[in-house]
Amino acid sequence: MTLDRLKPILEAALLASQQPLSLAQLEQLFLDHERPSHTDLAQALEALAADCAGRGVELVEVASGFRYQVRTEVHVYVTRLWAERSQKYSRALLETLALIAYRQPITRGEIEAVRGVVVSTQIIKTLEEREWVRVVGHRDVPGRPALYGTTRTFLDYFGLKNLDSLPTLAEIRDLESLMPELQFPREAPIPAQLSDDSTLAPSTETRQ
Amino acid sequence: MTLDRLKPILEAALLASQQPLSLAQLEQLFLDHERPSHTDLAQALEALAADCAGRGVELVEVASGFRYQVRTEVHVYVTRLWAERSQKYSRALLETLALIAYRQPITRGEIEAVRGVVVSTQIIKTLEEREWVRVVGHRDVPGRPALYGTTRTFLDYFGLKNLDSLPTLAEIRDLESLMPELQFPREAPIPAQLSDDSTLAPSTETRQ
Amino acid sequence: MANELHADAAQARQSEIPFAVVRGQPFYELPKDLYIPPDALEVILDAFEGPLDLLLYLIRRQNLDILDIPIAAITRQYIGYIELMQTLKLELAAEYLVMAAILAEIKSRLLLPRPPEATDEEADPRAELIRRLQEYERFKKAAEDIDALPRIERDTSVAGAYVPERKTTLVPPAVDLRELLLAFRDVLNRADLFTTHQVRREVLSVRQKMTELLAMLPAGEFREFTSLIATGEGRLGVVVSFLAILELGKAGMIEIVQERPLAPVYVRSRVAMEEADDLGPIETDS
C-alpha cells in the first residue's frame, strides 16, 4: 500500500477513535494481504505529524499510542466550547464602571461617596479581570488611594473611539432618544406569526 | 483575525466537539473584540474543507452545523476498530422513516395506509429512541392521533443539511411502466381521478 | 397460470440473488401458486413488507396479470390461510387476507355485467389498487434512497481530537453600552439626593474644624490666615477650614485683620480656652 493510500486510513482511524491507537492496533485496520510494514506505518505517521504544521491539532505519541490532540496555542479558544455563561453583571458593578468611565481618575472612596454605598472589592476585581479598568495612579492624600481609569479594551468593547465619544450627561438624562440602534433587549413580545409557526420544516415533496 | 489564525482555531474546535458546531457556536469561541465576521468565518471553513482534499476526513455541513467526518472511502478500515458496530435497519423501519421524513407531519394510521401493513409499536419506539422522529403534535380528529416528524438528529445522522437535501421522492410512475400487464379493457370506464392522465393508453386487448 | 409463474421464477433464478432466506435456506423462486399459499407464508413474511410489496414484486418480476387471478385458487388459499392464522402473527396475516379479498372483489366485479348508467359514479375497482401500489412504490424507493445515504456508524464516523486539560471556563456576561449609561443615569439621579446629605456632613465638619481652629489659636496671639487652612485634606479640607474661620468670625470668637489690600490676613482669638469648648449656641445656616 502506498503512502498516499496509507495516510488517509491512519488519519481517519486516529480521528475516529476515542482512544490513542497503538502501532499494533493500527496494523489491525488492514487485512493480511494489505497490511503495511512497520517501516511504512512509521513513515506514514511521521508524514501525518508533519502535515499538522500550522494546524489546530497535532499528532502526538503518548503511552498507549498515537492520538490527535488540540494544540496548546488554540486551547484557550477550544475550552470556550464548554464555557459557562456567567450571570449578568450586577447594577452595582455597572454603576461603578460608569462612574470610573465618566469621572476618571477616581478613587474607590469617591465612587462610594457618589453611590452612597460601599463598593465591594469583588466588583473592582471583576472589572480589573475583564480588563475594563485599571489603576492609573494614586491620589496624593493620606492612604494614597488608588485612582481608577478605563482601558482601551473598555473602549473597544463598547465600540468607542475614545472617552469623548461617551454620551454627554445631558444626553444620558434623555436616554430614550439616545442611540436608537442600540436597543436594549427588552422583553419584546413575540410576533404572532412566530408563536404559532411550528418548527416543522415543510415537506420537500411536491404534491401532485 | 487573519485566516491563518482563524483556521487552526476552527479546526481544533470542530475536532474537539462531539457535536457539529453551528456558525453561532463557532462565533462564541471568540471574545468580543476578536470575533471574526461572518464572511471571514465562512471563508475559513471553506478553506478548511478544501484542505481535506486527499485526506482521511472531510469537513461537511449537516443540519446542526459543521463537523469533520471520516471519508466513506476509508471508513471500511475504520470500522475494523470496532468489532460490531454498523447497524442494519429493517425495510419496515426504513419505509416508516421515509414516510415520516417525506410526509411529515404524519400519523401512524396514514403511514399504515400507504404501506398496507400495520406499523409495529417497536418500530416507532426505535425511531424515537434513536431521536430520529418525535411527536410534533396531534391531528385534530377523534382519538387525536400523534403526528410524527423527523428531528435534527435524523438529518445529522444521515449527513443532511435540511429536509430539502433528502433524495428527491420519485414521481408517480406512469401506469404503463409500472404494470405493463395491467391494461384497461377498451370498454372499461376510465376512473375519474385518472382520466386526465395522458399516459394512460387504452388497451388493445380484448378480454374473453 | 401457476405453471407459468413457476417457469418464470425458475428462469429468473439465474440472474437473481435469493429474494428470501428462510432458516438459512435461500429461496430463488416463489412457491407455486403464490398469492397467499400456506407453504409460502414464512417466505412472504420474511421477504415482503406486506401485501402491496408482494403484489409489486409479482407484477414487476413475474409479469403477473393481477386481473387474471383464478378466484377458485384464491378462495382455497384464503381458507388455508385462516387455519394458519392460529399459529402465526394474526395482524400481519390479516393484511394479506384483506388483499386477497380485494383481488377477489376486483375480479368478481369485472366479471359482472356493468349497468350502462352507473359506471361513471362507480370507480373502477382496480383504480384504487393501482393508486395504492404506485404510492407504496414511491416510498419503497424512498426508503432505499435513505438507506443508501452515507450515514454515521456504517459509512462514516465523527472525527474527534483529544483535548488536553478539558476544563470549563467562565465567559463573562455581555454588557450593552446602553445598559451602562442607564446605570450611570441612575447613579446620577441618586447622587442628587445625596447632595443634601453632604451639606449636613459638612456642617458637622465645619463645627469640628472651628473647635480645632480655636485650639490652634492661643488667646490674643495673631496667626497668619493661610497657616490655619488645612492643606492636607484636599480641596474639601480647604473649604471646610475657610468656612470654619468665617463662622468663627461671624460668631465674634475671632478677629480677622488685614492691614492693607493684598497684605497677609491675620487671625486672633477673642475667647478664652474654656469658652471655646462650648460652641453650642453657634448655628450655621442650614
Side-chain angles (χ1 to χ4, degrees), chain A residues 15 75 84 86 91 130 157 173, chain C residues 160 164 169 171 173 175 186 189:
Chain A
L15 285 171
H75 188 254
E84 287 172 26
S86 337
R91 199 69 182 179
R130 187 99 196 230
Y157 183 89
R173 301 271 179 186
Chain C
T169 51
V171 165
V175 178
D186 287 359
N189 290 341

Side-chain angles (χ1 to χ4, degrees), chain A residues 39-51:
Chain A
T39 324
D40 286 352
L41 216 51
Q43 211 179 333
L45 287 167
E46 226 169 273
L48 284 173
D51 288 347

Side-chain angles (χ1 to χ4, degrees), chain A residues 5 8-9 11-12 15-16 29 34 54-57 74 77-78 80-81 85 130 157 199-200 203-205, chain B residues 1 5 8-9 11-13 16 28-29 32 34 54-57 74 77-78 80 102-104 134 163-164 169:
Chain A
R5 279 206 63 207
I9 296 171
E11 183 193 26
L15 285 171
L29 299 174
E34 54 183 14
R55 282 173 48 201
V57 292
V74 296
Y77 294 93
V78 172
R80 296 198 186 118
L81 281 175
R85 311 243 139 229
R130 187 99 196 230
Y157 183 89
T199 55
L200 261 178
S203 166
T204 55
E205 189 198 357
Chain B
M1 194 175 278
R5 277 205 65 207
I9 295 170
E11 184 192 27
Q28 292 307 310
L29 300 175
D32 309 292
E34 55 181 15
R55 283 175 48 202
V57 293
V74 297
Y77 294 94
V78 174
R80 295 187 188 132
Y102 285 93
R103 281 284 162 84
Q104 58 190 300
R134 64 193 172 91
L163 283 175
D164 287 341
L169 188 57

Side-chain angles (χ1 to χ4, degrees), chain B residues 50-175:
Chain B
D51 288 347
C52 289
R55 283 175 48 202
V57 293
E58 57 189 337
L59 179 59
V60 296
E61 185 180 4
V62 293
S64 37
F66 295 83
R67 75 170 175 224
Y68 278 99
Q69 65 180 36
V70 170
R71 279 187 191 279
T72 315
E73 302 93 278
V74 297
H75 193 255
V76 59
Y77 294 94
V78 174
T79 52
R80 295 187 188 132
L81 286 172
W82 308 287
E84 194 61 58
R85 199 177 184 225
S86 104
Q87 239 178 315
K88 266 203 162 162
Y89 295 99
S90 70
R91 273 184 55 201
L93 182 138
L94 288 166
E95 285 182 14
T96 306
L97 180 62
L99 274 158
I100 295 174
Y102 285 93
R103 281 284 162 84
Q104 58 190 300
I106 188 172
T107 66
R108 197 151 142 182
E110 288 158 356
I111 297 169
E112 291 173 347
V114 175
R115 293 194 56 233
V117 284
V118 167
V119 172
S120 81
T121 307
Q122 186 52 52
I123 284 180
I124 297 286
K125 216 178 128 206
T126 304
L127 289 174
E128 284 185 322
E129 277 172 1
R130 294 238 49 168
E131 289 180 36
W132 287 351
V133 312
R134 64 193 172 91
V135 173
V136 294
H138 293 268
R139 200 178 285 302
D140 196 13
V141 293
R144 295 182 53 75
L147 286 165
Y148 293 94
T150 53
T151 62
R152 203 171 270 273
T153 311
F154 159 76
L155 293 173
D156 286 349
Y157 190 85
F158 287 94
L160 300 167
K161 241 196 250 189
N162 47 43
L163 283 175
D164 287 341
S165 27
L166 275 171
T168 318
L169 188 57
E171 293 290 308
I172 284 196
R173 295 165 59 96
D174 62 41
L175 290 175

Side-chain angles (χ1 to χ4, degrees), chain C residues 146-159:
Chain C
I146 286 180
D147 196 31
L149 289 172
R151 63 179 190 235
I152 293 179
E153 290 174 339
R154 190 190 61 185
D155 305 299
T156 186
S157 296
V158 175

